């Protein structure tokens, strides 16, 4: 959705951001096209007595809605749904006398220079109410780059009466008590603003052009508005179809219905549900209301437990369809819905325990089901749904079994279709060697699963001259799909429509759309995509939609933009935009998927999304049916697409491994610090480079462009060969560190620059790989008591913020981010122990009411409580490595484990009993101090002697903010032993190496 060139000329306040709009404000709520500089169009009332504010609000930050004083600018096609959000705050206190009432009014948008207008009746409104969401989750932080929050998020949309564009604010609820209808008409307590969601359904007959209006906050006691915001809408000259070409489908779980609607579902058997039975009326009413709400948002439900009554008899299966037909027929014919558009997908119902009856009876059931649905003219939308054993990619054995069963079902009816959880290269077609698999001539009646956004190269290609199956997208493959949920934002949902278009998939299947919590005061999991909430939670009869349901509608309409672009003869540009929005990652056949690859996927830049939709609208308008193509406009748009593509095709560069080697190791056995001060350490950094472009860039360059003191690198860049399309390629860069500079105390990050061989553009990646000295401590000076008064500044290897772990937005921007709070880390050693002490500021000051003797992990990150992780691995003089030790410190205790051989252990990290580690922690006014004594016998094998070096990393996780940071980084998880810095275990009398002695250094306060 875009502003036309004429519109841009007539609205000079819209600057560079304006053409980037195209979204309904729900996606932009940024507000898709608000000018960053001009505030004059806000049209605030000149009445100085008015303190009220009416502002557009940005919901792209899922935690903190951001209001602004810019006009609301967006575009939409005819018959499209567009949305925006408003915030009302600082309503004045009524004076004594008659009661003052307040209202919101949307004036009819008028076509510029024409008498045409959009009726206020085309608008509808809902109050945005906060709901508790537990965003203290690793997946949320990795995906959004935001800190966690313990306050409710704006999520539920309670419909309000909006007659002729006017909304009485007295009908709204207090945001501080959103579940209570008693608070209607009362002034919100405190400073909580009112948030409103506004929908516009553009009438199909609307004249194209730019429409201008205002949204006013009005008072019953004043003639002029208290506040106003300008509204500018560009209506495109094309119409959206009523038909949904991408099916956004949720599987409504019957157990969720029983849990949330016990009165209506607890005693009802799905196979006996009937519209003819008055006792079932409350149950049917709930299902109808949910289905209507979903369908009105261009989505739909399927309810797998709805089924006919079946009697298994010898020789013949008897099926009674009467009750089931009464329930689903109004949905499948469209009679239940206002627009009369029927559901486009409803799998043939599988009765309970069907998989436990003999195969002949199963096939007989599918034959009769196909015949019945064919008679009803529903069979074209009703395949047999076959599922895998688990929510994983099916194994080779399971693929063989599923293919054989699908072949049997396809043979039972000439129109019967089958949906498989198999990807194309897993489908087994019949051949002369095995005729029991799927016949090639029936392959076009298959619906196969599209690969995930992180996908393996196909093992085999689809045979030529064989009909290709249709495709669907599954959303249940953990770790290999885009993050989506209550804590994410709209783009996490919309990316699925772009990926579906790129993969030529017509269905996206989601899980149950209902909350998994039992009441509205329980925090929701941010990984859940909640479509609507039970109405009784809010004291209303109908289900209450969520903002996520609006996201899904926006995603479905995005697909229609892509499809219209393709249908008008511009398929290459539609595919290009779709691919660069989702940025899939291809891995080699048989390669284990890397959990960090999904961080590279997708486009996190808001402006890129806005501009993509504007470009699609422009491409649609360029090729109008029956009109000649304007070559000049085509060339200009081609240039705009190239300009948009450039930043999207930039490679993503990520540090992944660090290998340390002593240049000339001393003879064994050697005491710590026996290395000559003239020796060097060699560092090899492994870097992953993701090529987001269709082009195989050749003659690329990778070079060090910044290094801290003590490092020596070759100034010449390394030539990187052609980067495979959509692939991640591992490259290595070497450097050296001079141990004489170990006291330089230079903590600046190193910088690697990748130069694209195609257009010479540069991508800079920064990382911190520290080398620090750890001195031998004099006897008897260290007490493990948590006071830290026996440490001094010279013992510190870290003093300041550490490096934050990877998050998706920072990775896309190639930013190195630091933690919010300071951290101090000290190390030292003696003959018996290695010592680590730390001091963290900014910790929670609340009492610790619970503790656990294990570590919880989310997305591989230690999570759920304040944690300090110590990762140690000895590096011996002969360049051999010892075992990896992982010590996790908590305010209330510690946990120790060692990494074992992954070939022998499914989980290589095993608890390490009897380590003999001593740990003392002290919490005082938001400061956590800890001291750890780790015996050498816990760090390394017996009879090896104290090593000259330790590969080392220190990680902190702050529970209150969700921040995880590390001494070496950035990393993705604390137990990443591939990315570790180095500690030099130094004797105080090493010639030329030792710093000031313990006795003459100031103590830490």
């Amino acid at each position: 959705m875009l502003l036309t060139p004429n519109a841009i000329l007539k609205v000079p306040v819209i600057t560079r951001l304006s053409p980037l709009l195209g979204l309904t404000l729900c996606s932009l709520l940024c507000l898709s096209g608000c000018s960053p500089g001009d505030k004059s169009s806000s049209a605030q009332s000149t009445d100085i007595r008015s303190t009220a504010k009416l502002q557009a609000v940005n919901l792209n930050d899922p935690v903190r809605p951001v209001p602004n004083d810019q006009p609301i600018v967006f575009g939409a096609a005819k018959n499209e749904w567009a949305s925006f959000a408003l915030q009302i705050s600082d309503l004045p206190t009524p004076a004594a006398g008659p009661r003052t009432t307040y209202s919101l009014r949307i004036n009819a948008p008028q076509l510029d220079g024409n008498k045409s207008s959009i009726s206020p009746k085309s608008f509808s409104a809902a109050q945005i109410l906060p709901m508790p969401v537990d965003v203290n989750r690793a997946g949320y932080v990795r995906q959004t780059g935001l800190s966690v929050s313990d306050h409710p998020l704006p999520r539920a949309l309670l419909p309000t009466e909006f007659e002729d564009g006017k909304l009485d604010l007295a009908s709204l609820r207090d945001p501080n008590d959103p579940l209570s209808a008693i608070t209607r008409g009362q002034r919100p307590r405190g400073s909580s603003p009112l948030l409103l969601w506004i929908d516009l359904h553009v009438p199909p007959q609307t004249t194209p052009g730019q429409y201008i209006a205002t949204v006013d906050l009005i008072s019953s006691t004043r003639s002029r508005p208290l506040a106003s915001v300008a509204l500018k809408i560009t209506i495109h000259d094309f119409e959206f179809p009523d038909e949904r070409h991408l099916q956004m489908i949720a599987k409504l779980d019957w157990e969720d219905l029983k849990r949330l609607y016990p009165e209506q579902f607890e005693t009802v058997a799905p196979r006996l549900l009937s519209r003819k039975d008055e006792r079932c009326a409350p149950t049917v009413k709930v299902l109808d209301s949910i289905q209507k709400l979903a369908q009105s948002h261009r989505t739909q439900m399927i309810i797998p437990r709805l089924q006919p009554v079946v009697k298994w008899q010898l020789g013949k299966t008897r099926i009674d369809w009467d009750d089931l037909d009464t329930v689903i027929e109004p949905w499948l014919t469209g009679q239940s819905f206002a627009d009369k558009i029927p559901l486009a997908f409803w799998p043939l119902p599988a009765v309970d325990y069907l998989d436990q009856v003999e195969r002949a009876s199963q096939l007989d059931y599918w034959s009769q089901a196909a015949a019945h649905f064919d008679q009803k003219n529903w069979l074209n939308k009703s395949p047999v749904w076959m599922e895998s054993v688990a929510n994983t990619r099916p194994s080779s054995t399971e693929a063989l079994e599923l293919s054989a069963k699908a072949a049997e079902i396809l043979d039972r009816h000439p129109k019967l279709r089958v949906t498989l959880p198999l990807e194309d290269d897993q489908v087994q077609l019949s051949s002369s060697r095995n005729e029991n698999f799927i016949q090639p001539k029936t392959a076009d009646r298959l619906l196969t699963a599209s690969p995930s956004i992180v996908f393996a190269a196909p093992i085999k290609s689809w045979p030529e001259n064989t009909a290709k199956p249709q495709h669907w997208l599954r959303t249940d493959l953990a770790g290999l799909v885009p993050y989506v949920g209550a804590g994410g934002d709209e783009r996490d949902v919309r990316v699925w429509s772009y990926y579906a278009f790129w993969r030529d998939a017509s269905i996206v299947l989601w899980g149950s759309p209902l909350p998994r919590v039992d009441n509205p005061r329980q925090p929701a999991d941010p990984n859940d995509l909640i479509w609507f909430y039970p109405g009784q939670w809010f004291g209303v009869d109908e289900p209450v939609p969520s903002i996520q349901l609006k996201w899904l509608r926006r995603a479905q309409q995005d697909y229609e933009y892509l499809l219209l672009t393709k249908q008008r003869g511009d398929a290459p540009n539609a595919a290009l935009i779709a691919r660069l929005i989702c940025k899939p990652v291809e891995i080699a056949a048989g390669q284990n998927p890397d959990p960090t690859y999904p961080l590279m996927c997708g486009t996190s830049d808001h402006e890129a999304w806005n501009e993509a939709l504007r470009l699609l609208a422009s491409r649609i308008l360029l090729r109008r049916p029956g009109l000649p193509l304007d070559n000049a406009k085509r060339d200009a748009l081609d240039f705009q697409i190239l300009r948009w593509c450039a930043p999207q095709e930039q490679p993503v560069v990520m540090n992944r491994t660090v290998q340390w080697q002593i240049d000339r190791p001393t003879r064994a056995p050697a005491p710590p610090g026996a290395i000559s001060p003239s020796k060097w350490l060699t560092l090899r950094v492994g870097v992953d480079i993701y090529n987001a472009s269709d082009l195989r860039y050749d003659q690329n360059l990778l070079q060090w462009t910044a290094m801290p003191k003590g490092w020596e690198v070759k100034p010449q860049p390394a030539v990187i060969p052609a980067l495979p399309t959509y692939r991640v390629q591992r490259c290595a860069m070497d450097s050296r560190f001079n141990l004489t500079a170990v006291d330089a105390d230079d903590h600046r990050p190193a910088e690697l620059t990748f130069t694209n061989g195609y257009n010479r553009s540069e991508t800079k990646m920064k990382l911190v790989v520290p080398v620090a000295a750890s001195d031998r401590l004099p006897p008897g000076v260290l007490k493990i008591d948590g006071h830290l008064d026996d440490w001094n500044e010279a013992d510190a290897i870290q003093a300041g913020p550490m490096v934050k772990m990877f998050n998706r937005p920072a990775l896309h921007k190639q930013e190195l981010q630091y933690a919010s709070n300071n951290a101090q880390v000290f190390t030292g050693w003696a003959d018996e122990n290695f010592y680590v002490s730390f001091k963290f500021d900014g910790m929670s000051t609340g009492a610790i009411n619970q503790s656990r003797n294990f570590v919880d992990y989310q997305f591989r990150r230690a999570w759920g409580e304040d944690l300090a992780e110590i990762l140690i691995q000895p590096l011996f003089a002969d360049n051999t490595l010892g075992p990896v030790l992982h010590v996790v410190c908590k305010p209330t205790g510690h946990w120790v484990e060692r990494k074992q051989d992954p070939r022998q252990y499914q989980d290589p990290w095993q608890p390490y009993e009897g380590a003999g580690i001593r740990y003392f922690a002290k919490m005082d006014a938001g400061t956590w101090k800890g001291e750890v004594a780790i015996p050498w016998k816990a760090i390394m094998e017996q009879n090896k002697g104290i090593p000259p070096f330790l590969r080392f990393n220190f990680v902190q996780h702050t529970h209150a903010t969700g921040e995880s940071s590390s001494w070496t980084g950035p990393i993705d998880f604390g137990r990443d032993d591939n990315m570790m810095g180095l500690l030099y275990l130094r004797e105080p009398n090493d010639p030329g190496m030792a710093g000031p002695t313990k006795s003459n250094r100031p103590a830490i306060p």
Side-chain angles (χ1 to χ4, degrees):
M1 300 179 266
L2 76 165
L3 290 177
T4 64
N6 290 335
I8 296 174
L9 290 175
K10 293 180 180 180
V11 190
V13 298
I14 305 302
T15 61
R16 189 176 63 88
L17 280 181
S18 304
L20 303 182
L21 299 198
L23 277 167
T24 68
L25 257 359
C26 87
S27 74
L28 316 182
L29 285 176
C30 22
L31 284 170
S32 262
C34 301
S35 165
D38 177 53
K39 298 184 180 181
S40 61
S41 298
S42 175
Q44 294 288 343
S45 172
T46 58
D47 188 344
I48 59 175
R49 295 174 299 165
S50 173
T51 61
K53 293 181 181 179
L54 174 65
Q55 299 168 293
V57 64
N58 175 358
L59 295 181
N60 281 322
D61 185 330
V63 177
R64 300 170 184 85
V66 181
N68 64 79
D69 293 325
Q70 306 306 311
I72 300 171
V73 183
F74 63 94
K78 293 180 285 186
N79 201 35
E80 182 181 354
W81 287 88
S83 307
F84 56 93
L86 297 169
Q87 177 175 293
I88 301 173
S89 58
D90 299 334
L91 286 174
T93 302
R99 181 173 178 268
T100 302
T101 61
Y102 300 100
S103 302
L104 182 79
R105 180 181 64 203
I106 297 181
N107 300 298
Q110 300 291 325
L111 182 63
D112 190 17
N114 193 293
K115 296 182 180 180
S116 297
S117 64
I118 299 175
S119 170
K121 294 181 179 180
S122 299
F123 292 88
S124 56
Q127 183 180 4
I128 305 175
L129 297 177
M131 299 296 291
V133 180
D134 181 11
V135 295
N136 197 337
R137 302 295 179 96
Y140 167 82
V141 174
R142 287 174 83 244
Q143 178 74 4
T144 65
L146 300 173
S147 298
V148 301
S149 170
D150 58 358
H151 61 79
L153 308 186
R155 284 296 174 261
L157 299 176
L158 188 65
T160 62
E161 293 186 6
F162 200 57
E163 296 183 359
D164 293 329
K166 191 174 181 180
L167 168 64
D168 183 1
L169 299 190
S171 66
L172 303 182
R173 299 190 179 191
D174 182 352
N176 297 315
D177 191 13
L179 303 180
S180 174
I182 300 177
T183 59
R184 288 182 184 270
Q186 298 181 8
R187 186 69 53 81
R189 294 190 295 270
S191 59
S192 297
L194 298 170
L195 293 176
L196 296 173
W197 182 280
I198 309 296
D199 274 336
L200 166 63
H201 186 205
V202 181
Q205 68 276 12
T206 304
T207 303
Q210 186 182 38
Y211 290 74
I212 300 175
T214 59
V215 183
D216 299 330
L217 179 62
I218 57 178
S219 165
S220 61
T221 59
R222 298 185 184 184
S223 59
R224 291 184 298 174
L226 298 175
S228 298
V229 62
L231 181 62
K232 300 180 177 69
I233 310 169
T234 298
I235 303 301
H236 305 313
D237 192 13
F238 58 88
E239 184 176 342
F240 253 43
D242 288 324
E243 181 184 359
R244 287 71 156 153
H245 292 97
L246 175 66
Q247 307 302 322
M248 293 286 194
I249 300 172
K251 293 175 64 176
L252 190 53
D253 194 315
W254 195 265
E255 295 303 312
D256 284 344
L257 291 166
K258 289 172 60 176
R259 176 172 53 82
L260 296 173
Y261 297 91
E263 293 183 7
Q264 294 90 341
F265 288 88
E266 185 66 40
T267 60
V268 175
R271 60 188 175 85
L272 299 178
L273 189 63
S274 174
R275 294 182 186 271
K276 297 178 181 179
D277 190 338
E278 293 184 357
R279 295 172 298 179
C280 298
T283 306
V284 173
K285 181 180 178 182
V286 171
L287 295 179
D288 277 342
S289 63
I290 291 175
Q291 197 67 268
K292 289 177 182 178
L293 181 60
Q295 194 272 353
S296 68
H297 286 80
R298 301 181 67 92
T299 63
Q300 73 155 83
M301 304 288 119
I302 59 174
I303 311 171
R305 287 294 304 280
L306 290 181
Q307 56 191 278
V309 176
V310 179
K311 295 182 179 179
W312 304 103
Q313 298 178 346
L314 291 177
K316 185 65 175 178
T317 301
R318 298 187 61 183
I319 307 175
D320 184 351
W321 297 96
D322 290 346
D323 290 342
L324 177 65
D325 286 349
T326 66
V327 176
I328 65 175
E329 187 162 7
W331 306 336
L332 298 184
T333 61
Q335 294 304 309
S336 285
F337 310 126
D339 60 6
K340 305 303 179 183
I341 303 298
L343 302 186
F345 187 83
W346 191 274
L348 286 178
V351 296
D352 294 340
Y353 312 113
L354 179 63
D355 58 339
Q356 298 181 16
V357 303
E358 59 180 356
R359 185 59 179 168
S361 297
Q362 292 180 31
L363 296 174
D364 184 39
Y365 171 79
W366 291 126
S367 296
Q368 294 192 52
H372 178 76
F373 272 62
D374 190 26
Q375 184 181 13
K376 291 282 189 178
N377 294 320
W378 300 338
L379 191 56
N380 62 330
K381 64 180 72 176
S382 300
V384 174
W385 192 277
M386 299 182 65
E387 296 184 344
S388 56
V389 176
N391 291 340
T392 58
R393 192 174 191 265
S395 63
S396 299
T397 301
E398 191 176 3
L400 294 172
E401 181 180 352
L402 288 170
S403 296
K405 289 183 176 180
E408 293 178 324
I409 295 173
L410 290 170
D411 288 342
R412 305 300 293 190
H413 194 284
K415 297 181 182 178
L416 188 56
R417 299 187 300 156
V418 174
T419 301
L420 286 170
L422 305 178
E423 297 175 19
D424 286 354
D425 64 336
Q426 295 179 292
V427 175
Q428 303 297 315
L429 299 178
S430 66
S431 64
S432 57
R433 291 184 299 174
N434 195 325
E435 298 180 353
N436 294 325
F437 291 134
I438 297 168
Q439 296 292 328
K441 64 181 180 181
T442 65
D444 60 346
R445 290 193 275 131
L446 292 175
L447 287 87
T448 57
S450 293
S452 301
I453 202 164
V454 177
F455 64 98
I459 299 174
K460 59 182 181 181
S461 58
W462 193 260
E464 295 184 3
N465 302 322
T466 300
K468 293 184 178 180
Q470 295 177 288
H471 298 100
W472 64 284
L473 283 177
R474 56 188 306 182
T475 62
D476 58 351
L477 295 180
L480 294 182
V481 294
Y483 176 90
V484 63
D489 67 27
E490 185 183 62
R491 294 163 299 167
D492 299 327
V493 176
R494 293 174 60 201
V495 70
W496 286 92
S497 64
Y498 286 84
Y499 192 64
F501 180 83
W502 190 66
R503 284 293 186 186
D504 195 24
S506 58
I507 295 171
V508 181
L509 185 68
W510 306 88
S512 185
L514 288 169
R516 288 197 295 173
V517 296
D518 295 330
N519 65 71
R521 302 192 186 277
Q522 288 180 299
D525 188 329
N527 296 314
D528 293 340
L529 184 67
I530 300 171
W531 294 29
F532 32 72
Y533 301 94
Q536 65 264 24
W537 284 7
F538 302 88
V540 298
D541 292 333
E542 299 295 317
V544 174
S546 71
I547 283 182
Q548 290 89 333
L549 186 59
K550 306 294 184 179
W551 296 351
L552 286 160
R553 183 181 65 192
R554 178 66 264 161
Q556 200 286 326
Q557 294 185 144
D558 284 356
Y559 185 91
E560 301 295 346
Y561 269 83
L562 290 162
L563 186 60
L564 277 168
T565 304
K566 178 181 178 180
Q567 290 173 343
R568 293 201 175 182
D570 202 1
N573 279 312
L576 175 65
I577 291 174
R579 183 186 61 76
L580 288 177
I581 283 290
C582 56
K583 292 183 183 176
V585 175
E586 181 181 357
I587 59 179
Q591 176 186 348
N592 289 326
D594 192 314
T596 61
Y597 287 171
L599 291 176
M600 300 179 176
C601 298
T603 302
S604 59
D605 182 10
H606 291 281
E607 292 187 13
W609 284 84
N610 302 343
E611 179 70 353
L613 209 56
R614 188 199 71 82
L615 288 170
L616 288 171
S618 298
R619 305 302 297 197
I620 295 169
L621 291 169
L622 179 66
R623 298 170 179 267
R624 304 188 188 194
L627 296 178
L629 180 65
D630 188 327
N631 292 328
K633 288 186 178 180
R634 181 199 58 194
D635 294 343
L637 278 174
D638 287 346
F639 177 76
Q640 291 179 32
I641 287 183
L642 289 175
R643 188 170 55 185
W644 178 84
C645 288
Q648 315 313 318
E649 293 183 322
Q650 281 288 98
V652 177
V653 185
M654 176 190 289
N655 58 277
R656 299 305 303 280
T657 63
V658 168
Q659 296 178 358
W660 296 96
Q661 189 172 28
I662 307 168
D663 270 10
R664 286 181 285 172
T666 60
R667 299 174 183 174
I675 296 180
S676 166
S678 63
K679 299 305 181 198
W680 293 81
L681 294 170
T682 297
L683 169 69
R684 171 164 289 186
V685 176
V687 177
D688 279 354
I689 305 174
Y690 167 58
N691 178 18
S693 172
D694 282 326
L695 301 174
R696 292 176 58 90
Y697 300 141
D698 204 353
Q699 296 299 309
N700 310 290
L701 303 178
L702 187 65
Q703 66 181 128
W704 295 106
T705 49
M707 296 296 291
K709 293 180 181 179
W711 291 94
E712 181 182 279
V713 298
K714 292 182 179 180
Q716 298 83 4
V719 178
I720 307 299
L723 298 177
T725 300
Y726 318 140
R727 298 284 289 274
V728 178
Q729 182 166 311
R730 178 70 54 85
C731 302
M733 289 294 289
D734 292 336
S735 59
R736 295 201 305 165
F737 181 79
N738 191 334
L739 282 173
T740 60
V742 74
D743 286 320
D745 197 30
D746 187 352
H747 295 285
R748 290 178 301 165
E751 182 181 82
L752 273 167
T753 299
F754 174 84
T755 304
N756 188 326
Y758 175 71
N759 56 14
R760 314 312 296 175
S761 64
E762 294 183 345
T763 302
K764 297 183 181 296
M765 181 205 74
K766 294 182 178 180
L767 71 159
V768 176
V769 187
V771 181
S774 183
D775 291 333
R776 176 189 282 273
L777 301 176
V781 300
L782 185 63
K783 295 180 181 179
I784 307 299
D785 56 10
H787 288 287
L788 305 189
D789 54 4
D790 42 13
W791 294 91
N792 54 54
E793 293 180 358
D795 298 316
I797 64 170
Q798 173 70 36
M802 294 193 294
V803 181
K804 287 176 66 172
M805 286 189 183
F806 282 121
N807 67 73
R808 184 167 163 265
L811 180 62
H812 288 189
K813 295 177 183 178
Q814 298 290 163
E815 288 183 348
L816 184 70
Q817 298 180 340
Y818 287 89
S820 303
N821 297 313
N822 291 327
Q824 290 180 287
V825 183
F826 312 89
T827 68
W829 61 279
D831 288 339
E832 299 297 328
N833 299 301
F834 175 72
Y835 300 96
V836 180
S837 296
F838 55 88
K839 177 183 177 182
F840 300 144
D841 296 325
M843 307 301 295
S844 174
T845 57
I848 300 174
N849 299 320
Q850 59 184 9
S851 180
R852 52 192 177 198
N853 65 344
F854 61 92
V855 180
D856 183 30
Y857 291 95
Q858 295 181 12
F859 283 83
R860 304 184 296 176
R861 297 186 182 185
W863 207 261
E865 53 190 329
D866 291 320
L867 299 162
E869 299 178 73
I870 304 169
L871 202 65
I872 302 174
Q873 185 179 31
L875 173 60
F876 295 101
D878 59 358
N879 277 319
T880 59
L881 295 171
V884 183
L885 183 73
H886 183 230
V887 181
V888 181
C889 299
K890 310 178 182 184
T892 57
H894 69 282
W895 172 265
V896 187
E897 57 190 359
R898 259 190 181 182
K899 189 175 184 179
Q900 305 296 331
D901 188 344
R903 295 171 296 183
Q904 300 180 17
Y905 293 85
Q906 183 176 3
D907 180 5
W909 292 100
Q910 295 295 314
Y912 186 38
E913 305 292 344
I917 291 176
R918 290 179 294 145
Y919 166 62
F920 193 98
K922 183 178 178 62
M923 299 289 289
D924 184 18
T927 299
W928 176 15
K929 298 178 181 179
E931 290 186 288
V932 190
I934 307 173
W936 285 112
K937 65 180 181 179
I939 295 175
M940 59 191 182
E941 305 295 343
Q942 298 292 337
N943 304 321
K944 290 286 289 186
I946 297 176
F949 296 96
L950 290 177
R951 298 179 78 234
F952 182 84
N953 205 3
F954 187 90
V955 177
Q956 179 195 4
H957 173 67
T958 305
H959 179 62
T961 63
E963 273 191 0
S964 298
S965 56
S966 58
W967 185 58
T968 304
I971 57 177
D972 194 33
F973 61 105
R975 294 192 294 190
D976 186 0
D977 56 315
N978 288 316
M979 276 292 300
M980 300 174 71
L982 202 70
L983 291 180
Y984 170 48
L985 303 185
R986 185 170 61 178
E987 292 279 7
N989 58 353
D990 288 349
M993 298 294 292
T997 62
K998 185 84 174 176
S999 60
N1000 63 13
R1001 287 179 284 183
I1004 296 296

